[in-house]
Amino acid sequence: MSKQDVALYAHWPFCLAKCPYCDFNSHVSSSVDHAVWRDRFGAELLRVADEIGKRRVTTIFFGGGTPSLMEPETVASVIDMADQLFGLSPDAEITLEANPTSAESKNFQGYRTAGVNRLSLGVQSLIDDELKKLGRMHTAREAIEAVELAQRIFSRTSFDLIYARPQQSLADWTEELAQAIHLATDHLSLYQLTIEPDTPFFELAKKGSLRTPEENAAADLYEATEDLCGAAGLLGYEISNYAAPGAESRHNLIYWRGQEYIGIGPGAHGRLRQGERWVATKSFSDPMTWLAANDLHTDSGPIGFEHWDDVSPEERAEEYLLMALRLEEGLSLAEHAKLGGRGLDLARIADLAAADLVELQGDRLRVKRQGRLLLNRIIAEIAA
Ligand SMILES: C[S@@+](CC[C@H](N)C(=O)[O-])C[C@H]1O[C@@H](n2cnc3c(N)ncnc32)[C@H](O)[C@@H]1O
Ligand code: SF4
């Protein structure tokens, strides 16, 4: 990635319904004026282009919320403006996150025509009863049909499943995952269910009426996931992401490798290099506030980002550590030292290596497979 290259994330904050486990910035709204949203995405992009100058966009990711509720014209206008303002690299990876209801599948061809070349579907489970418990608006059949349709339309596809669900046995998961691997092409995102604060699942867990697998059982599920995916040629290149070599999400790798990205849309974050400085940007999270903040037609003019803050070298180095240790390729000690101005504590790393949790090979520090289950503790130990 050369110096001026940048990724672009666009957030669509609406969903048909709120899933009880989800704490993403997503809202249910009966009235969305798509022409206004198109206009404001354009205004935000224009302002960012003014602020950061000429860059080349190598990847775009439409995330949410549910971007498959966007009109294809809105998706096309963001892609076209990114091209006009920054220039899109000829092989740009353009991903859109979609929910697999049959109504949304009708938009897939329109997204392809708009320039999307990778579709990432939120399947979550291939079992109808489980989909109901997760509060999903689609059946397993609809999800399978959406995946197959996407595979016919887009050159690259992926889908997400959530595992380590309440009462899920190892046998249940291996059967479901085998079916998923059979359905998949070359990329899968497999997330262990996280009970997020302030969600309905959190309240149920607090009352004891929802219980996720104990640590040991969750570890067994993770081991089985690695084994089954590995045997099918899908390598765990990140803690929850599996791909055939070359099929990794280039956009997400940019985050995990600590590189530059623009964030637009409600609540989106960005990390940008301004000369030797790094800035962290954040757009207003509330959709109505964001619309007002990017309105070019008011007397006072647009307000723009909620935050545009300097990131200190120490903070950059810590962010890089947190992100890169999720990756199979690990982190570069030299890159970490360059960002933060000081190296990592090699004695601590040697202790973790002696416990067979991490591996140091030349400049690369990697968390080993058995260490991945303890990733947060390892990061805390190294960052201390
Ligand atoms: C931004 S979300 C949703 C995309 C899309 N709206 C959907 O629901 O299919 C991206 C992915 O995060 C995962 N996810 C969301 N909340 C989660 C949680 N609490 N635990 C584990 N995975 C979660 C789901 O697999 C989901 O597909
Ligand atoms: S999981 Fe997806 S569809 Fe469900 S509320 Fe979250 S963003 Fe919306």
Side-chain angles (χ1 to χ4, degrees):
M1 189 153 165
S2 77
K3 214 172 182 180
Q4 77 282 6
D5 284 354
V6 74
L8 170 63
Y9 175 79
H11 190 82
W12 182 259
F14 300 113
C15 295
L16 287 178
K18 187 83 194 172
C19 305
Y21 54 85
C22 175
D23 78 339
F24 283 84
N25 184 24
S26 61
H27 307 262
V28 178
S29 171
S30 53
S31 63
V32 174
D33 186 334
H34 289 266
V36 170
W37 278 81
R38 200 146 52 235
D39 176 73
R40 304 301 151 83
F41 273 119
E44 190 165 38
L45 261 183
L46 202 59
R47 180 175 49 74
V48 176
D50 268 356
E51 279 164 346
I52 71 171
K54 199 80 189 153
R55 306 283 168 113
R56 189 177 68 142
V57 171
T58 54
T59 64
I60 303 180
F61 194 102
F62 292 91
T66 304
S68 48
L69 297 175
M70 291 171 87
E71 289 186 345
E73 291 87 330
T74 310
V75 173
S77 101
V78 170
I79 296 172
D80 292 348
M81 277 195 75
D83 194 23
Q84 283 159 27
L85 293 168
F86 299 103
L88 269 181
S89 60
D91 63 343
E93 174 191 275
I94 306 181
T95 305
L96 184 133
E97 255 178 5
N99 281 31
T101 69
S102 44
E104 286 158 83
S105 305
K106 296 205 172 69
N107 280 336
F108 290 179
Q109 188 59 55
Y111 297 140
R112 176 76 197 94
T113 308
V116 172
N117 51 29
R118 182 172 181 273
L119 203 80
S120 172
L121 281 148
V123 168
Q124 320 311 357
S125 171
L126 292 167
I127 302 167
D128 282 336
D129 280 349
E130 295 296 312
L131 289 170
K132 277 202 197 102
K133 287 188 218 153
L134 291 170
R136 302 293 291 179
M137 306 285 283
H138 54 87
T139 61
R141 170 95 335 251
E142 267 184 297
I144 293 168
E145 283 171 6
V147 170
E148 289 172 344
L149 178 67
Q151 289 170 347
R152 289 197 291 277
I153 294 179
F154 298 93
S155 51
R156 297 175 62 197
T157 59
S158 174
F159 61 89
D160 302 353
L161 293 180
I162 296 180
Y163 71 104
R165 302 185 304 254
Q167 274 101 43
Q168 188 177 36
S169 71
L170 186 57
D172 292 342
W173 171 232
T174 47
E175 195 183 323
E176 192 177 359
L177 180 57
Q179 196 192 342
I181 289 172
H182 184 68
L183 179 64
T185 43
D186 53 11
H187 193 287
L188 278 174
S189 299
L190 304 170
Y191 300 108
Q192 293 214 0
L193 176 64
T194 315
I195 304 299
E196 303 288 354
D198 300 324
T199 59
F201 269 20
F202 186 78
E203 294 310 315
L204 290 175
K206 217 165 58 183
K207 282 193 277 178
S209 35
L210 182 149
R211 219 173 302 140
T212 49
E214 306 283 331
E215 199 168 315
N216 282 345
D220 289 345
L221 293 170
Y222 184 73
E223 293 286 347
T225 306
E226 291 271 315
D227 287 344
L228 271 179
C229 287
L234 300 175
L235 308 180
Y237 69 100
E238 191 266 350
I239 193 134
S240 307
N241 282 277
Y242 298 83
E248 298 87 357
S249 158
R250 279 167 45 206
H251 182 88
N252 288 335
L253 278 173
I254 286 171
Y255 301 146
W256 296 319
R257 288 177 175 158
Q259 294 165 341
E260 279 185 281
Y261 55 96
I262 298 167
I264 61 168
H269 291 266
R271 287 287 180 285
L272 294 162
R273 200 162 27 193
Q274 300 285 80
E276 288 308 303
R277 289 167 49 223
W278 278 88
V279 291
T281 68
K282 183 177 171 288
S283 300
F284 286 95
S285 295
D286 170 63
M288 292 307 129
T289 313
W290 178 83
L291 280 180
N294 290 288
D295 187 351
L296 291 175
H297 315 291
T298 56
D299 292 341
S300 52
I303 314 165
F305 288 126
E306 182 179 15
H307 295 293
W308 171 278
D309 299 326
D310 276 335
V311 187
S312 70
E314 296 74 27
E315 286 167 330
R316 272 302 300 157
E318 191 174 338
E319 281 183 355
Y320 176 57
L321 179 80
L322 277 169
M323 290 293 187
L325 286 183
R326 302 177 62 89
L327 289 172
E328 167 66 18
E329 69 184 27
L331 72 67
S332 150
L333 293 183
E335 179 64 21
H336 179 270
K338 196 168 100 195
L339 287 170
R342 71 182 176 98
L344 289 170
D345 183 339
L346 292 178
R348 277 179 208 271
I349 292 174
D351 287 346
L352 291 165
D356 213 21
L357 297 173
V358 303
E359 184 175 64
L360 190 57
Q361 275 178 336
D363 178 50
R364 287 262 147 207
L365 174 65
R366 289 179 54 248
V367 175
K368 293 181 81 168
R369 176 169 157 165
Q370 53 273 35
R372 282 184 169 196
L373 296 164
L374 305 168
L375 184 65
N376 291 341
R377 283 179 236 165
I378 292 173
I379 288 174
E381 179 67 25
I382 296 176

